[in-house]
Each structure stands twice: as C-alpha cells, then as structure tokens.
Amino acid sequence: MNFVSSFKLVAVACSALMALACLTLMALANPVVAQEDAWRDQSLSFEQRSAALIDAMTLDEKISQLSDESPAIERLGIVKYNWWNEALHGVARNGKATVFPQIIGLAATFDPELSFRMADAISTEARAKFNISQAMGNREKYTGLTFWSPNVNIFRDPRWGRGQETFGESPLLTSLMADAFVRGIQGDDPKYLKATAAAKHFGVHSGPEALRHSFDAKPTAKDLHETYLPAFAHLVTKSKVAGVMCAYNAVYGEPACSSDLLLNELLKQQWQFDGYLVSDCGALYDIHHGHKAVKTPEQAAAAALNGGVSLNCGFTYNAALKQAVEQGLVSENTIDERLQELYRLRFKLGLFDTAESNPYNQIPADVINSPEHVALAKEVAAKSIVLLKNNNHVLPLAKDIKVPYVTGPFAASSDVLMANYYGISGNMVTILEGIANKVSMGSALNYRMGALPFNDNKNPKNWAPFVAKTADAVIAVVGISADMEGEEVDAIASAHKGDRIDLQLPQNQINYVKQLAENKKGPLVLVVASGSPVALGELYDLADAIVQVWYPGEQGGNAVADVLFGDANPSGHLPLTFPKSVAQLPPYDDYRMQGRTYKFMTKEPLFPFGFGLSYSAFEYRNLAIEQDDSAYRVSFELRNSSQRDGSDVAQLYLAPVEPKAQEALFELKAFKRLDVAAGQRVQHEFVIAKSALTRVDDNGKSVPLQGKYQLFVANALPSERSAKLGAAAPLTQLIEF
C-alpha cells in the first residue's frame, strides 16, 4: 500500500476518534510533513518526480537504494522495496501461484501469442499478490513487481543445466517468443507498467555453471552478433524491456558487469537502452574476487557503477560505494544517474501514486491460480508436448484399455512438473494422476515406481518389470529433474553444479526400461521429462512410442494424459537439436558456434530442430514466391489429409548452396503455428523483408545475402534425418540474391 492510500485509510478511521488522537494517527501515517514535495505531485512527469525525490536524499540514502534490498527512508515517505523477484514460468518463490510449464516447453509450442497470454496471466497474478502483500506490510524478497525474467541466453550446448529456462537454440524463435513474454509481463497501459521484465544474462552466458564466477567467454565476432546478441537487441529496441541483467562470467576478458563493450557500446550507445541494469547476484563481488579484474571492492563498485549497473544484487555497493566516492573513483552525479533509472521505474509501477490512479491496483485476489489460469497452464502443457516416435500408430491409446501399467521414477512425481524457479500450487497433477483421471473406471490401472530417479535400487528384488507381462500397454515415465540439471546452487543431485556431463538417462533408468522391453506384452510408451535433450540410444529402438513432455507445470499430468489418450493431438516441435551423444558436441567451454545447433551441426542428430509428429497427417503443397521492392512473399498450402483435427508448425529456412566460410548451413527465417481441420487445407503466406535477408560476416557486420540459396518450407529442419523420422516432405525452390 502506498503512502497516499495509507493516509486515506487512517483519515477514515479518524472519524470515530477524538481530534487529538486523529492528529497523532495522521502523523504516524504521514512521515512527510511538506505537501509541496514535488515527487508527490502527480501532474509532473515521472522523470521530474524521481529527480526531485533523489535530490532530497543524502549520499548514504542514495547508496542504500542501489541494492536489491532497498530499505525504507521514513523521513521521505519511502517504504522498503525488494527488487529481487522471479516469474520465469509463474510467480516464483512467493507462495500460491499458477505453475506454468517451464520455458523450454513454452518454446516448443512455437506460439508467440500463447507466450503473451501466459506472461499476461503471470503478471496479473503478480499484481494481485503484490496488492495483498503491501496491505499486510510484507515487503520481503519475491513479493514485488520487478521480475528478473525472461532468460534469453541461447541454449548453445545441451549440457548446460539452465538451458531449461531458455527458449532454445534459435535466435529468431527466442526473440519472438521472448518479445511476447515481455509485453505480457509489462502490460499495455499508456502510463503505468503492470510489472517489469528483465532480459538475462547479458550477453554471452550459457555455462559451464561450475566456472561461471571466473570463466571468460570468447566467441568469434560473427557468433557474438549472429547468435548471442540478437534476442537482447530485440528486447531492448523493439520490446522496450524495462531491465537487463548482466552475467557472472567475463566476455573477451572483461567481467560482463563492467564490460565497456556490452554495457556502454552496445546497450547504451547502439541500442539506446534507458531502463535499469541489474547485476546477477554476487556478480560485482566476482569482478575483483573471481575475475581479479581489479584489486579492491571499491574499484569493483566503481567499475560497475561507472559502467552502467544501476542495481547491485549483492553487497558490493553497500559495502564499498561510499569509500569509492571518497577515493574519487566515482561521482555522486553518476550515482544520481543510476538512481534515476531505478526510481523512474518505481514511479512507472505506480508505487508513489494514489491507489485509484493505477488500474492494476484493482486486480482482485481471486485471479491467483484461478480456473482460467489453471486451464491456460494445461493448454500450454498440451501444446508443448512433442511426439517423437509413434510406430504403427500405437498412440493414442484407448481410454477403455483393460490393463494399463504406469511405471517409472517420475510417474508420481510433482517435482518433475515444477522445474526450477517455481511457484507453489494446490492443483499439481502428476502424470499418474492424470492417467487415472483419464482411463475407464473399468480399467485395471496398475502402478509401480520400479526405479529410483538417479541411483540403483537398494533392494535387488524388484517385481515391477515383470508386471509388464500382464499389461496391454506400459507407460514408463523417465527422465531427469531440476535436482539433476539447474543452477549452480540448486541442483542438489548434480555432481557438476547443475550441468550434465552426458546426455543419457541415468544408467539405472536405462536398465529398467530394457527390463520392461524384455517383459512387455503390449506396446511400450516412453514419457520423457527433462529440460534438455535426452540421448535415448538403444531405448529409441526398444520403445514403440516416445513423447517429450519437458517440465510441464501443475497441469502436466492432465495434459500428458490428454495426449496419450487422444483428447489432445500432439503439436509441439523441438526448439533445439537432440544430439545422439556428447561425442557429437564441441568442447563445452568453447563458445564458438561451429558444430553446434541446427545452424552449424554437420553430424546426424537423434532428433533435428523443429521436429515433431502428430496424430494427423500433414502435407505441404503449392509453393509460390513473389517479390517486390521491399519483401519476398512466400505462400503455400498446408493440408490435413487425416480424419483428426490438428496443428502444425510451418517453418521457413534458407540454406546456401555453396556456404561461405563459417556461414550457417540453415537459418530459420520465419515460422507459424497453423490449425487445420480434418480433411481441410489452409493457405499461409510468409512475408520476409528484404532487409532481413542478411548474414553476419567474420567481423560481426550484417551484410546482404549474395549467391544461390535453397528456400524450404517444412515442419522440421529439412534434412534426411527429419524425413527418416516421419516429417512432412518439404517444399523447396532455388533463389538467387
């Protein structure tokens, strides 16, 4: 509750009190005596008001406001505010909220409009929770409105434990999905922000987790501008993201949170960023302690503040900035500039205005984990699921199946639904529960866990694999969880601080699935939960059907059951390449893109980027390409030749006939999720601006395409492996630029 609201509530209460008591209460509610304080004047601009408020602060007070936990300044009527808040796939670490699927699953929908709807629901719940927290005086961490999401780092290597937080390996897919997410978080009010988003971790950051506090990433200039920066540039220049978080690691020898290249040349000068820049938590300590770029905390504080970091998540500013001023390393004017970036946003969030001024203050509590948001979580989960194999159309299973057998270490797990950076919900539906809700009451559903998640069973006697002999279908729920892959400080089952050293399932799970395959009577369906690629090896051949469900959120069990039993038609497509093994990957700490992702990988993967099967049968027909002075217009027809309504993701790629040195072998230029009724066809047109028909040269400069290129319209990367796995035949035409 802001100051004015507090004052009004007290004034109402005063009507029943004696005059002297009223004056006492009002004085307590209103520590600011002077009504002429300009920052209270709502007729002034936010810029003017924030400048006036900063001008009224002492140096010590200013410094106190530059850290994530900004204390109250009672004499100015400023309440405590904590900037550290998380909303990766739902309001996180702050009690009850809708738990949506993890972001890598959202990316698999290839649906920016769905990304917007999900983020809009998240920020709606966030505002409701904020209103309640303020009213009860709870201003602790995770109760605010400044969210440190989305993560738009490129998932360049599938060993990175935090890749689950990203939109995958494509800069284009990441840019468009994240753009929608940011707009959903920040709202569309012409005056106020609903909440704020922050793009992280700027700008070259994707492991190794164990080395992040001292690691120096050295991509080529081409890779920097072609792969690592586009999503950040898009969010800053087009989405108008309110915040950017700098990373722990160094880039080209400079700590990311004091890098002149990243923070000054790119962010401030080239992209004209005017929001706030926050350090990853403890990253300023790393400037002198991990990277040893400077010798003292005072020098680290000055390097970050002068470089552009307005908010320190950590303790370096509080501990050393005053001394840095005294030593002449940083000026109070620079402190004022950084503080202005922070307070301008606090004003835009409406934190200093009357309650009735801001429409977001009217959001009621009943939106939190509402039926509408729960239904949306289920929709996102269902659309994220990727059908990877379906031999002889064994899926969907019949709901009146006599003896279904559900087994595996994650069949009854809520943890595998939640991923990392999660909220808490009372509506968690495990995969076992979802299947139990789906099958006939006459079905003799059986369940045994069968295998521990990551370790061999302690008891050598295990009847679970032999139950498969009695089952009409075996549904084995395998995979990993955020305990095995995640952030350095959270993945407690990882021996590598959150990263993976190989891409296989844990060996005990592999052994268990092999036992199930040996004993099965009916089909074996693998349900794979993970936030990154799983190399299935021989299990691919042993399974009759495989579905990748990611970390599907609170309604994951119902969504998976809908897909397995035909109430939902799988329509997810892979937002990253699934290699066959780590042997196909370059060294993990090599930030060059050669050999990585769909753009540069020459080895045959297990599953290609963009791949995903359906219960429907799709055909692409009638490619036509026209051009005018500004754009190419690529039209085609998508036909559903089956008897089942379905959705497919049409993808447009360009591939050079004779690739130049280091040039991408394929590049995704457009995509569109299309719904097609059974037996029907739809027309679609991709419009590709000629200004977008560029590549990045070895110097990091964007240059027009020249030469012959093959244009493809397909529903997976147009490769032999995609065709082998059952992708639709692509349309193609040669174009010369």
Side-chain angles (χ1 to χ4, degrees):
M1 186 178 296
N2 62 30
F3 150 73
V4 178
S5 298
S6 301
F7 186 88
K8 286 187 173 182
L9 287 175
V10 173
V12 170
C14 282
S15 61
L17 299 174
M18 295 174 61
L20 182 60
C22 288
L23 291 173
T24 303
L25 280 173
M26 287 185 179
L28 290 172
N30 179 14
V32 184
V33 176
Q35 281 295 309
E36 65 269 21
D37 292 333
W39 60 87
R40 299 292 177 197
D41 186 349
Q42 293 186 218
S43 68
L44 299 178
S45 70
F46 292 146
E47 193 82 20
Q48 292 171 310
R49 295 170 68 189
S50 56
L53 182 53
I54 293 165
D55 189 55
M57 295 181 192
T58 66
L59 176 60
D60 286 338
E61 288 170 339
K62 292 174 183 178
I63 290 172
S64 76
Q65 300 297 295
L66 292 170
S67 295
D68 58 292
E69 188 171 336
S70 301
I73 304 176
E74 293 185 6
R75 71 178 189 88
L76 299 177
I78 299 173
V79 299
K80 174 182 176 180
Y81 183 75
N82 199 303
W83 288 79
W84 188 345
N85 304 281
E86 305 287 355
L88 181 62
H89 56 112
V91 180
R93 302 174 176 175
N94 184 24
K96 184 177 181 179
T98 304
V99 182
F100 291 94
Q102 179 59 293
I103 289 297
I104 195 67
L106 176 63
T109 70
F110 279 72
D111 190 342
E113 190 271 338
L114 190 61
S115 180
F116 173 85
R117 289 168 55 204
M118 181 174 129
D120 182 54
I122 292 170
S123 60
T124 296
E125 293 194 9
R127 265 290 175 174
K129 292 177 73 66
F130 177 76
N131 295 341
I132 297 168
S133 297
Q134 292 294 295
M136 62 186 288
N138 182 3
R139 299 184 177 92
E140 300 307 311
K141 188 188 297 184
Y142 308 131
T143 64
L145 294 168
T146 44
F147 293 110
W148 295 345
S149 302
N151 183 338
V152 293
N153 293 131
I154 293 300
F155 202 172
R156 67 178 180 96
D157 191 299
R159 287 167 285 199
W160 185 37
R162 298 190 70 180
Q164 61 177 289
E165 302 173 24
T166 76
F167 291 97
E169 71 186 25
S170 163
L172 176 69
L173 178 63
T174 298
S175 296
L176 297 184
M177 294 293 285
D179 169 82
F181 189 93
V182 167
R183 288 187 288 106
I185 289 290
Q186 296 190 169
D188 60 1
D189 187 82
K191 183 175 182 180
Y192 293 105
L193 287 163
K194 191 178 183 186
T196 66
K200 65 183 186 185
H201 310 82
F202 187 55
V204 185
H205 178 86
S206 51
E209 278 292 293
L211 305 177
R212 65 183 186 172
H213 300 288
S214 58
F215 181 72
D216 185 15
K218 297 178 181 178
T220 67
K222 176 182 184 296
D223 292 336
L224 176 69
H225 291 275
E226 182 179 58
T227 298
Y228 295 108
L229 294 182
F232 288 101
H234 187 103
L235 294 194
V236 169
T237 61
K238 293 184 170 60
S239 316
K240 303 303 179 186
V241 69
V244 170
M245 175 182 281
C246 54
Y248 287 115
N249 58 279
V251 181
Y252 302 135
E254 286 189 299
C257 286
S258 59
S259 166
D260 186 64
L261 170 64
L262 295 178
L263 309 187
N264 182 32
E265 290 183 34
L266 291 171
L267 197 59
K268 294 294 180 76
Q269 294 185 23
Q270 187 172 329
W271 301 343
Q272 295 293 296
F273 179 62
D274 65 353
Y276 82 103
L277 183 61
V278 56
S279 71
D280 208 340
C281 298
L284 301 194
Y285 175 76
D286 289 339
I287 292 175
H288 66 91
H289 184 266
H291 300 294
K292 304 189 186 308
V294 296
K295 294 182 178 180
T296 68
E298 291 79 13
Q299 290 171 335
L305 194 85
N306 290 330
V309 177
S310 37
L311 188 74
N312 173 204
C313 182
F315 306 101
T316 298
Y317 280 175
N318 276 338
L321 195 54
K322 178 75 174 290
Q323 292 87 339
V325 173
E326 293 169 349
Q327 293 172 22
L329 300 175
V330 68
S331 71
E332 188 169 355
N333 283 340
T334 303
I335 290 175
D336 290 349
E337 290 174 10
R338 301 292 172 261
L339 201 53
Q340 178 82 341
E341 293 161 358
L342 297 177
Y343 265 88
R344 186 166 57 238
L345 286 178
R346 288 180 69 168
F347 276 94
K348 285 184 177 180
L349 287 166
L351 304 187
F352 292 88
D353 288 357
T354 57
E356 61 272 16
S357 301
N358 188 340
Y360 299 124
N361 288 336
Q362 313 308 316
I363 296 175
D366 59 10
V367 302
I368 301 169
N369 207 212
S370 65
E372 293 79 11
H373 290 177
V374 172
L376 179 59
K378 181 181 174 183
E379 179 186 351
V380 177
K383 289 180 176 178
S384 75
I385 294 171
V386 184
L387 179 62
L388 296 174
K389 182 179 181 180
N390 195 19
N391 270 10
N392 301 316
H393 304 286
V394 298
L395 293 179
L397 300 170
K399 295 177 191 173
D400 61 356
I401 184 172
K402 291 180 181 178
V403 186
Y405 179 35
V406 178
T407 187
F410 294 115
S413 169
S414 292
D415 286 340
V416 82
L417 306 177
M418 297 168 69
N420 68 352
Y421 285 85
Y422 49 82
I424 299 169
S425 170
N427 295 312
M428 306 293 286
V429 181
T430 67
I431 293 171
L432 176 62
E433 291 169 333
I435 292 171
N437 290 334
K438 186 63 59 177
V439 298
S440 167
M441 296 295 283
S443 298
L445 175 64
N446 204 339
Y447 163 73
R448 279 178 170 82
M449 186 177 188
L452 296 172
F454 309 123
N455 304 299
D456 291 338
N457 294 354
K458 302 299 183 184
N459 185 349
K461 293 185 177 182
N462 183 11
W463 189 249
F466 302 108
V467 178
K469 293 178 181 289
T470 69
D472 295 316
V474 177
I475 301 169
V477 186
V478 297
I480 53 180
S481 73
D483 293 323
M484 178 61 76
E485 59 174 351
E487 192 167 4
E488 173 195 29
V489 295
D490 288 330
I492 58 175
S494 169
H496 305 279
K497 295 189 176 180
D499 290 334
R500 302 166 66 193
I501 58 169
D502 61 53
L503 304 182
Q504 297 183 123
L505 290 173
Q507 189 61 46
N508 63 300
Q509 293 190 42
I510 295 173
N511 295 340
Y512 182 57
V513 173
K514 289 167 69 175
Q515 288 181 301
L516 291 171
E518 290 171 2
N519 289 283
K520 69 174 184 174
K521 180 183 78 170
L524 171 61
V525 179
L526 284 187
V527 176
V528 184
S530 69
S532 60
V534 172
L536 294 172
E538 62 189 309
L539 302 188
Y540 175 81
D541 295 319
L542 295 177
D544 298 284
I546 304 170
V547 291
Q548 173 71 34
V549 302
W550 315 106
Y551 299 135
E554 67 175 66
Q555 286 293 298
N558 285 333
V560 170
D562 279 353
V563 167
L564 294 179
F565 292 90
D567 284 341
N569 193 345
S571 58
H573 287 249
L574 296 179
L576 72 168
T577 304
F578 277 38
K580 291 179 179 178
S581 72
V582 291
Q584 294 186 317
L585 299 172
Y588 183 21
D589 59 0
D590 185 349
Y591 267 72
R592 293 174 298 178
M593 291 304 296
Q594 286 303 305
R596 298 186 183 281
T597 77
Y598 80 93
K599 296 175 71 173
F600 300 103
M601 187 174 180
T602 57
K603 299 172 183 176
E604 182 181 79
L606 177 63
F607 299 114
F609 174 87
F611 176 74
L613 299 173
S614 171
Y615 298 152
S616 301
F618 294 110
E619 300 173 26
Y620 286 77
R621 295 182 172 184
N622 301 327
L623 178 67
I625 302 175
E626 298 179 352
Q627 64 171 305
D628 55 30
D629 292 340
S630 62
Y632 281 84
R633 299 181 179 277
V634 181
S635 63
F636 61 93
E637 177 185 283
L638 175 58
R639 181 184 178 193
N640 180 349
S641 58
S642 72
Q643 298 305 305
R644 185 185 289 268
D645 295 348
S647 300
D648 202 15
V649 176
Q651 303 158 44
L652 188 153
Y653 296 88
L654 283 177
V657 174
E658 296 180 354
K660 299 171 180 63
Q662 312 302 316
E663 185 175 10
L665 304 175
F666 294 93
E667 185 161 5
L668 181 70
K669 286 295 186 181
F671 61 87
K672 180 66 177 179
R673 186 184 181 95
L674 298 169
D675 299 327
V676 193
Q680 299 299 307
R681 64 193 70 191
V682 297
Q683 291 287 137
H684 185 71
E685 181 180 74
F686 288 123
V687 180
I688 310 298
K690 288 186 174 179
S691 60
L693 296 173
T694 60
R695 65 178 183 87
V696 177
D697 67 15
D698 291 346
N699 297 315
K701 303 298 183 183
S702 182
V703 297
L705 294 180
Q706 290 184 326
K708 295 179 180 179
Y709 285 76
Q710 205 71 32
L711 181 147
F712 296 93
V713 173
N715 66 354
L717 184 75
S719 64
E720 290 184 13
R721 182 61 177 165
S722 294
K724 226 183 278 185
L725 292 169
L731 302 173
T732 183
Q733 184 170 318
L734 187 68
I735 297 180
E736 187 165 3
F737 298 105

